[in-house]
Amino acid sequence: MRAGDSRGGRQIPSPCRVQGQKRTERQAMRASVRIGKTTAAMLLLAAVVAGCSAGSSRGPATSAARPPVAPALRGQALRELESAYASPDAVVRAHAMEVLHELALPDAAGPILAALRDREAIVRFAAATAAGELRLAEAREPLLAMINDKDANVRVAAIFAMHRLGDTRFSRTLEQTLTDPDVNVRGNTAMLLGRLGERSAVRILVPRLRAEREVRVKLQIAEALWMLGDENGLKMLVAASISRYPDDQMIAFTALAGPHDQRVAGHIVSGLSSDYAEVALVAARALGMVGRADGMQVAMKYVTAGDPRQRLLAARALGAIGRTDAQQALAGLLKDKSADVRLSAAAAILALR
């Protein structure tokens, strides 16, 4: 089935055509769709299978013709990342762990091992997840102890990491935590099952996708399924990408881009023209994740925004896009008064190629 084909008298919309519709028409379309409407998802899914025939005129996210990253700027970024390990803000410390595993820096082991002993559960969770993502063998002993951590989310991350290190003795517990009364535990379990990359998890995720009532968790389950290549997850994320709720759109854009499949770009690009700055910035980042620079102008627009959340999202978008001509803008954000904005800018600089 291809975008633009007619089935039963109904025209299947292509994301490329939807992007070109008048603003009022797009708003009406979004208002008419709810997450989980199978019909809308099936109609839009066709474009992922077929792809958009007209690609972005702005080219790929990176280009060899652009200037190299300045060594001095990279050094400043590394120092900012190092300072984040000891930040008084637990959220910043946790974010630093995410940066370490996303960039797979060669000296990541030391900070991650130290963070496994952090007093805050959010940091221990992020560190255990990073240890699993990077398969840090030296983390095996502390991770084994964390199987009995007082925080359920940390226990889930420790089980994930041990599984990634080849110890599957505790992995069946994730089937139980996927139905935990705590919404965060259910969501984190779904996310980490997707990151395990094992198709066997589809067997337990699909029934939970149908049974889950919390929208945020439902979308995390859909994200996990899409990471595992299952179309049940893709259908729900495509529907959520045109939800009338901005939060759902942002989750959907990032989740769709997770597997780095360029065919989903058509479902993300319309987000660049959202009335909500945060939605547009998340769409810009998601497009960067699939190798497109369509969101460069949007990201640059918010580098100097008054809202630190928007500056943070702008930095993350520029990092995902990866164009080295963003260095000057990121250098400015590296001096931001917000520690998390500075860390996001540092991560973006280190991601430039």
Side-chain angles (χ1 to χ4, degrees):
M1 186 183 298
R2 292 186 176 273
D5 286 352
S6 177
R7 293 291 186 273
R10 175 175 291 186
Q11 190 76 9
I12 298 176
S14 162
C16 297
R17 293 182 60 194
V18 170
Q19 182 191 3
Q21 289 177 332
K22 293 181 180 179
R23 179 72 182 160
T24 53
E25 292 175 349
R26 287 205 304 273
Q27 288 175 328
M29 180 181 293
R30 287 174 180 167
S32 68
V33 179
R34 296 288 193 278
I35 292 176
K37 273 198 174 181
T38 305
T39 302
M42 287 300 293
L43 292 176
L44 289 167
L45 180 63
V48 175
V49 177
C52 293
S53 59
S56 168
S57 62
R58 304 187 188 187
T62 56
S63 171
R66 297 190 178 94
V69 180
L73 183 60
R74 181 176 173 83
Q76 292 172 31
L78 285 170
R79 288 191 291 275
E80 184 61 42
L81 174 58
E82 290 168 1
S83 71
Y85 306 152
S87 171
D89 188 335
V91 173
V92 173
R93 298 199 303 276
H95 182 193
M97 295 301 104
E98 295 172 3
V99 171
L100 284 174
H101 84 71
E102 287 172 0
L103 297 179
L105 297 175
D107 53 353
I112 291 173
L113 290 171
L116 291 174
R117 302 188 299 272
D118 197 278
R119 63 185 179 276
E120 297 291 343
I122 186 176
V123 182
R124 297 197 303 278
F125 172 86
T129 301
E133 292 279 12
L134 297 176
R135 289 191 169 97
L136 295 181
E138 53 266 60
R140 186 183 300 273
E141 186 174 339
L143 286 169
L144 185 58
M146 292 169 72
I147 295 293
N148 297 312
D149 193 278
K150 61 184 178 181
D151 186 273
N153 292 287
V154 175
R155 294 196 296 271
V156 167
I159 292 170
F160 161 80
M162 291 298 290
H163 187 108
R164 292 272 294 172
L165 289 170
D167 188 339
T168 60
R169 288 177 293 167
F170 313 99
S171 301
R172 292 294 294 271
T173 304
L174 296 179
E175 293 189 42
Q176 301 168 18
T177 56
L178 193 59
T179 60
D180 193 274
D182 188 308
V183 64
N184 292 317
V185 174
R186 297 201 306 276
N188 284 327
T189 299
M191 175 188 73
L192 293 176
L193 282 171
R195 291 191 183 186
L196 280 177
E198 297 185 4
R199 286 280 302 173
S200 58
V202 171
R203 174 183 59 82
I204 60 174
L205 286 167
V206 169
R208 285 308 306 166
L209 184 66
R210 302 189 187 104
E212 181 60 55
R213 291 293 175 261
E214 179 67 36
V215 173
R216 177 167 61 86
V217 178
K218 206 172 185 72
L219 289 176
Q220 286 178 293
I221 295 172
E223 178 179 10
L225 285 167
W226 176 224
M227 287 292 290
L228 297 172
D230 187 86
E231 288 192 359
N232 289 285
L234 175 59
K235 293 172 188 176
M236 177 155 289
L237 293 174
V238 167
S241 73
I242 54 171
S243 166
R244 63 177 177 175
Y245 301 106
D247 288 350
D248 296 344
Q249 291 180 36
M250 290 189 286
I251 294 171
F253 290 154
T254 304
L256 282 168
H260 307 291
D261 188 331
Q262 291 191 357
R263 294 174 299 171
V264 303
H267 298 297
I268 300 171
V269 73
S270 63
L272 294 176
S273 57
S274 173
D275 292 333
Y276 297 93
E278 290 80 4
V279 173
L281 287 164
V282 170
R285 181 185 182 219
L287 286 166
M289 291 167 65
V290 297
R292 288 178 49 161
D294 305 54
M296 183 74 174
Q297 186 174 357
V298 169
M300 293 295 289
K301 175 182 176 181
Y302 289 99
V303 163
T304 57
D307 187 337
R309 173 66 176 169
Q310 293 173 4
R311 298 196 301 274
L312 181 150
L313 291 173
R316 292 187 177 185
L318 290 173
I321 293 168
R323 281 176 38 166
T324 57
D325 53 348
Q327 288 181 79
Q328 184 175 353
L330 290 169
L333 290 174
L334 204 55
K335 302 173 184 176
D336 199 276
K337 59 185 178 182
S338 165
D340 212 10
V341 173
R342 294 196 304 273
L343 177 56
S344 295
I349 290 166
L350 295 172
L352 298 180
R353 296 290 183 269

